[in-house]
Amino acid sequence: MTVVPPPELRFRRRVRVRQAAVELWRARELVATLAERELRTRYKQAVLGFAWALIPPVGLMLVFTFFVRHVGHVSTQGTPYQLYAYLGLLPWTFFTASVMNGGVSLVVNVPLLNKVYCPREVFPIASVAAATFDGLISTLVLLVLFPLNSRAPQPTTYWVPLLLAIQLLFTLGVVLLVAGVVVYLRDVRHLLPIALQLGLFITPVAYSLHSVPRHLRGLYVAANPLGAVIDGYRRCVLLGRAPDLHLVAVAGVSSTCLFVLAFWAFKRLETGVADVA
Amino acid sequence: MSREGTVSVTSLWKRFHADRSRPVLRDEFERLRAGSRRSASGRWRWALRDVSVDIEPGEAVGLFGANGSGKSTLLKILTRVMYPTYGRLDVAGRVGALIEVRAGIHPDLTGRENIYLYGSLLGLKRAEVARRFDEIIAFAEVEEAVDRQLKFYSSGMGMRLGFAVAAYLNPDILLVDEVLAVGDAAFQQKCLNRMREVLLDGTTLVFVSHDLATIEATCRRGIWLHEGVVQRDGPVGESLSAYREGIKQLAETAGSVNDRVRFASASVTGPEGADPQTGRCLDVCIRLVSDIAASTSVCLGITEGPAAPVVFTRTQAHLRRGETLANCSIERLPLPAGRYYVWLSVLDGDERDLAPWHPVVSFQVRGPALVPAPPGIMRVAHIHVDTHWRLDHVG
């Protein structure tokens, strides 16, 4: 008997996109159930229930408004700051919730991972789905904010689905990457809140994308597609203009690349999840 | 793609980190720093080494071996929960698996939700699961608990549901780990019956257990894993006797010189000094060496290898310091042909060990073989009884 295995026998897991998609489709019920569970456990015990979905964005919006009114000035191109900030906070809180919950989703679900085979990406995806639900609820606040500021969404709002797709792709990419890494380096999860806090400052949530010098904007948006997404929302919903298509294209390409890379890396890392879990 | 139900494993190797208790950044940095000084091989532990197994559709395979021999790792790789490090793996068809006692998908979900989820993961449509639903809960005996969350199930209920789900959702391959032991005797029998049914439908069965009698009753083929290596792969009877022989060798070292009573020698003889035979007398002769004088109880068992005896007897004995010759005579040996082991122990008045229970000598019995039972009947005691049948046609 050989003591060391022949290297040519090294097990390579072939990941076929089609097969992965079929498996994911089969597991859709599991995704839905996991997302539902996540929402239910989060809100069932809490006294305020689903209001918790509203508290992060609305709270931050109030804080920002307070500071902008008393400390600094932010150029909103003549639109009410409350709306301006909230349109940035919606994608941002969605992103934060996704990364916080999705990032640890594999670690949290270790007992399941060790028992039943299912495509492992269902866990991060379920977290993103739960965050989407929260996002929809917090979007309802706009129904109050628009009349309150005597404004209405502009007809150019039809750009939203495109921006939403980029936002989703980018978020999924980050979540998959973080989820895969956290399994191997457990303490990275403690870094997450700090990294996200930092992210809030380097993303035009409280301020405008115009704060970034014009010649650097393309580069900036490539690194942080959320910048283009937020700017796009503000332009089309609030200002009645089309999003900056150049920036949106850059953000779209960069998000797609990140997603593909993250999915590939996740499938790679996933192979060893049951070993270290 | 091979026929559904085929399991083909070629040169499978699986290693784990030997020292990986905490996957955290600091340890990784330390590892990087120490990397050059540390040998790479010390960090790995091979759980499976060069395992090659081919299982045909409809085959029933029993997998056994000591703790840590890689049985569960192999099952996990077959379910694709885990991936091998080296080797080729081809598992064709739907895999139903019962690997852990707390089976089911999610402890927060109700029994009903778990059944549907598991079905959907196996690629079954809702209607297909619905058709089998009543059968599943009836088999698992959880009718009244079906809308309760799984975490509130007793371990027996969880296991029953897990087995029922795995066995009733038309798997091509059914993998069962030793969790059946949680169930009561009646349910174990039910599971074995179900496994036999499933086998008749052409499902492949891989069954892990420490209960060798159950393996023998259920499986046609036995694989003995020892420290990650396939030690024996063949007809279940042959593999099991090889395994039992292995256990005996391990256990023989159990008696140590520190015991206050030791067995200097033991011999087994049949009628008139010949080989032991079924239905004839058998003499076991033991030489005991004692360091103390005490009133003791000498226990003698005849086993097939493991500690559980087929035949057991004990006697009161007042031992004196020095040697004592003990002779145990069995009048009509009730054992069918095969290899057996004499296990002995000596206890003091408080039933404490003076010499622990361990095998001392093995012997071969000639005579009629054990009557083969149809697969699925549990625990046929290894005893030979003379029986006479008469069939009369009436009417």
Side-chain angles (χ1 to χ4, degrees), chain B residues 18 42 61 64 70 95 99 118 120 125 132 151 157 165 173 225 268 275 297 303 320 327 359 367 388 390:
Chain B
V61 180
F64 47 86
V95 178
I99 293 193
Y118 198 92
S120 74
K125 299 204 168 54
R132 305 226 125 209
K151 60 183 171 191
M157 284 162 86
V165 168
I173 300 162
L225 270 182
V268 180
D275 284 346
S297 153
T303 79
R320 273 178 293 189
N327 189 77
H388 301 282
R390 216 181 69 203

Side-chain angles (χ1 to χ4, degrees), chain A residues 33-46:
Chain A
T33 319
L34 286 172
E36 194 194 319
R37 285 289 134 181
E38 193 168 320
L39 289 170
R40 207 168 273 179
T41 46
R42 200 168 342 140
Y43 297 128
K44 211 179 210 171
Q45 287 102 336

